[in-house]
């Protein structure tokens, strides 16, 4: 690997070696950048995961393509090919190569305020303008970025990244290998009030949030602490940006939640469930394992069967929603046909009675 | 009260005294933690608000239950009971007991930047990395958390909590007993543009935001300043997380807005209105007092009658939406019946004409 | 212009001169504040853009109105009038007059951390508690507000405002005359995962975000970097608050996106498109130029025709949605009519067969 003005440059040969791939074409071709298949940049590497994008391969020079061997015999393609069995897995490795590796430096900024009884290994990085309250524990190789806030008695595992401006409030627990992106808020007070004598009285929110291992959380996400007990995000769950997780919710293992979805208080989302963007889950709802909720859908009741696909507001089964909606579009026609029938029957009935 | 490794521990006797409750069972039982009824933790206290959760009471030792006296004679329950008239009210008191009281220390962090002409009582707390601009006034016992920003001439009342990372821009006014949670933005510029000669020209947003007393605002909320005049959140209103309040909106007294709901410019929300999660209100709409808008619903026109319940996109009355939606689900069947009728009428009419 | 306790005060004569307007009434009237037409504040100036607000003009003293000349002859109006051809354009000028001009002071806070190889002109302002990483370039008269974070190799043009708490991550590019409001996150990692062996594996997100000239971005917005290549916001686009722009999206020139709308990965939004609040666009969708998507609508497929208006979930043409929805409301009635027809046909058919 050489670098040119801070840029990482590698040959096709190096790259193929890194992913265990075979080369067809110019082994010495230099790759300066990874690019989308449409972009046709010289000295770039892209990947072909699906033959429907084949048309993008024509007429480009000095480019390399990461692909399966089913492309190898197409004669019109001039690109240099790196042929592998698993394109996605190889692409992930290559992306890491090109990301460079900002070597982690384990420093505690002296512009930050860290309470005296915080426990952390020497291999921890704490950025500028961070506040870490008393009783916090932080695992090995964990990075806390600038302007973050870590409340009292929070525990954070190893190999965790806490993004810039993230706030994690008292008593919350974050496992190992977790990423929380910028400006997300973990452990805010839940939206719990009694309505007495014409006004709302806050119910103290004394629980916490538990984020298990390998969870990934996007930017500007809110996860409220439980009123009592814990709001839990189980291991391997992935959350996109701008998501709302209310108090006492449980998000199961390997759940995927797209941006702007929201889950109301005390609902339980089973393992491997997928929520589309802007989907909404009412309070106290249980969704069984493996169900997929389409974007913008609303779930107001338990889903007891597993692995279904759901759509609508409130949800129907995916196919039923599409069927009904296809007919909804044609309602003007159907109503006309209904009116015409009424007219004909009236005529027939008049005729009959004559 | 004794403490054990920073934990607050109380006896059932102490707790019953604090809430004026009667005890049935072990007066000396020590309570270490509040817990949800399902969790069956030893030395915990939970509450029973509804008999449908009775099944959770069996087979737990060393636990206490806060409840009404209608549970007292159920023989199978071994738990120690604290019996009160108003379970919710008592629970709130107990939660406060167990929250501990981090005694407020009134300090101004020397890591913060406070303009010279800011007016505040000696009983104010300002966290680290805060910026407070000139002309700001701050009331008694108000707490400004770390990384917050308070713009020029903002006034903030007494007993207010401004959360970590909150930004409040110039000329906004915050009343007494207000809470604003982390990373919310108050007084951002509204989304106002003229479209002239093929592009958007910003309309200066010269108004402010007024937040009256006893308002509670969640995390990552946006409340835009009025273009002229004021965006107003009236007293006692409660706002969950990730809510959008556009410029020149008025939110009435004791309005409750669930997470991810949005209100477009210049709309007026009457007192005691409730907006469900992800509900959307168009611009220049008035909603009369006491109306309830279901989650994800869309309000495009004024609601002039009071205390209604609404659902749909755009809204219908709640019952009408449910009725129509129940039939929407059955459209495939109805269309078949329509087609069958058409066929029969054609047959009858052919027969007739023979 | 004189000032009174920090307030800007001007006479009607001054104001009319600034906008090239004619005066009818009291030239020496002093204007202390701009106000909405309903507010009837003495010594205020408001504007009348539409005759339907005429009723607000009566019974107010010492107020001036900016208006067209079609109002001039209405006898009952006592207000002083400033008459112009283009009320909106004049109002924008006046608002700027009254905003005062906080003269920009070009200072770098010594409480901020700026890497040694950052390039910027002497005419740049950097607030407190800001972190600027190595390789950043910043144009003339650009302002970076407090608690912002600017990642490695980010380039920012001239006359840009980066709001308080905004995070812009490595390699992103921001053009000239751009505004990004508080707590928005630019260049967060996109939501890209492979699901292999029962769990999600993150796909490195190695692209960036490009924000072209004259773009305006609200508060708490998230714009993810492309997995490879660039997420692009083209010139003149305006984005409201709490918006999600996923990885590899392209937002066209002069697109307007209302609050809480979301665009999923790799979608392309044509020039002059308008997205209503809480609208959602699925992934890999193309929307042609000039289309308008109603609030809360869901777009799941390409829109190939230009300048359409769309509504629904998923979208139909605006008029078709309204037509179908009007009939949806009446489904209970239609089903009754269908049942009645069935009954009559059965009777007729019985009679026939007798």
């Amino acid at each position: 690997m050489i670098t040119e003005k801070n840029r990482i440059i590698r040959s096709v040969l190096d790259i193929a070696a890194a992913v265990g791939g075979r080369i067809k074409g110019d082994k010495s071709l230099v790759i300066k950048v990874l690019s989308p298949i449409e972009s046709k940049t010289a000295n770039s590497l892209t990947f072909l995961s699906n033959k429907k994008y084949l048309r993008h391969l024509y007429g480009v020079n000095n480019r390399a393509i990461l692909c399966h061997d089913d492309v190898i015999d197409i004669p019109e393609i001039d690109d240099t090919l790196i042929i592998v069995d698993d394109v996605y897995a190889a692409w992930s490795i290559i992306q890491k190569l090109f990301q460079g590796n900002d070597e982690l430096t384990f420093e505690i900024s002296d512009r930050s305020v860290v309470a005296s009884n915080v426990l952390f290994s020497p291999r921890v990085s704490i950025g500028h303008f961070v506040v870490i309250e008393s009783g916090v524990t932080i695992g090995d190789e964990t990075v806390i970025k600038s302007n973050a806030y870590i409340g009292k008695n929070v525990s954070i595992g190893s190999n965790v990244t806490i993004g810039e401006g993230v706030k994690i409030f008292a008593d919350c627990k974050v496992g190992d290998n977790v990423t929380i992106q910028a400006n997300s808020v973990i452990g805010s007070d839940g939206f719990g009030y009694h309505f007495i004598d014409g006004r709302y009285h806050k119910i103290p929110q004394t629980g916490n949030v538990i984020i298990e291992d390998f969870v990934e959380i996007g930017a500007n996400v809110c996860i409220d602490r439980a009123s009592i007990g814990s709001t839990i995000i189980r291991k391997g769950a992935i959350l996109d940006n701008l998501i709302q997780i209310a108090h006492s919710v449980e998000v199961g293992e390997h759940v995927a939640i797209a941006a702007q979805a929201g889950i109301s208080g005390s609902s339980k989302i089973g393992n491997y469930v997928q929520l589309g963007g802007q989907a909404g889950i009412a309070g106290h709802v249980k969704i069984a394992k493996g169900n997929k909720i389409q974007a913008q859908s609303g779930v107001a009741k338990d889903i007891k069967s597993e692995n279904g696909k759901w759509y609508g507001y409130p949800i129907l089964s995916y196919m039923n929603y599409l069927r009904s909606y296809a007919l909804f579009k044609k309602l003007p026609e159907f109503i006309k046909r209904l009116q015409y029938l009424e007219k004909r029957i009236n005529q027939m009935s008049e005729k009959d009675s004559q």
Side-chain angles (χ1 to χ4, degrees), chain A residues 230-288:
Chain A
S230 297
T231 303
I232 305 176
I233 314 294
R234 298 217 181 274
K235 75 171 181 203
I238 55 175
L239 282 69
D240 201 349
N241 301 329
L242 290 161
I243 286 166
Q244 157 72 356
I245 308 288
H247 49 184
S248 308
V249 163
E250 279 185 42
V251 170
E253 297 180 6
H254 309 295
V255 164
I257 306 180
Q260 297 177 318
I263 305 176
S264 305
S266 301
S267 287
K268 313 283 179 216
I269 312 299
N271 296 347
Y272 294 107
V273 163
Q274 296 176 17
L275 303 186
Q278 301 178 336
I281 314 298
H284 297 273
V285 162
K286 282 184 191 167
I287 301 182

Side-chain angles (χ1 to χ4, degrees), chain A residues 145-291:
Chain A
K145 299 294 185 78
S146 60
N147 294 96
Y149 173 84
I150 312 294
K152 272 189 191 175
N153 301 319
V154 167
S155 74
I156 300 177
S158 297
N159 196 27
V160 169
T161 301
I162 305 295
E164 289 78 1
V166 168
K167 319 302 180 198
I168 305 181
F169 292 106
D171 301 317
C172 292
K173 292 178 193 310
V174 177
D176 296 331
N177 301 298
V178 168
T179 298
I180 303 174
Q181 292 197 58
N183 287 349
S184 285
V185 176
I186 312 298
S188 36
D189 273 5
F191 194 62
Y193 295 86
H194 300 308
F195 188 73
I196 302 169
D197 298 336
R199 69 182 199 82
Y200 291 97
H201 298 259
K202 185 180 173 78
I203 301 169
Q205 305 289 306
T206 59
N208 71 347
V209 176
I210 296 174
I211 295 173
E212 296 187 353
D213 300 344
F214 293 102
V215 165
E216 307 236 343
I217 294 172
N220 277 329
V221 167
C222 293
I223 304 180
D224 283 346
R225 66 182 50 237
S227 45
I228 44 173
S230 297
T231 303
I232 305 176
I233 314 294
R234 298 217 181 274
K235 75 171 181 203
I238 55 175
L239 282 69
D240 201 349
N241 301 329
L242 290 161
I243 286 166
Q244 157 72 356
I245 308 288
H247 49 184
S248 308
V249 163
E250 279 185 42
V251 170
E253 297 180 6
H254 309 295
V255 164
I257 306 180
Q260 297 177 318
I263 305 176
S264 305
S266 301
S267 287
K268 313 283 179 216
I269 312 299
N271 296 347
Y272 294 107
V273 163
Q274 296 176 17
L275 303 186
Q278 301 178 336
I281 314 298
H284 297 273
V285 162
K286 282 184 191 167
I287 301 182
K289 192 179 160 181
N291 281 289

Side-chain angles (χ1 to χ4, degrees), chain A residues 22 77 120 134 270:
Chain A
R22 282 184 301 134
I77 299 173
F120 47 83
S134 65

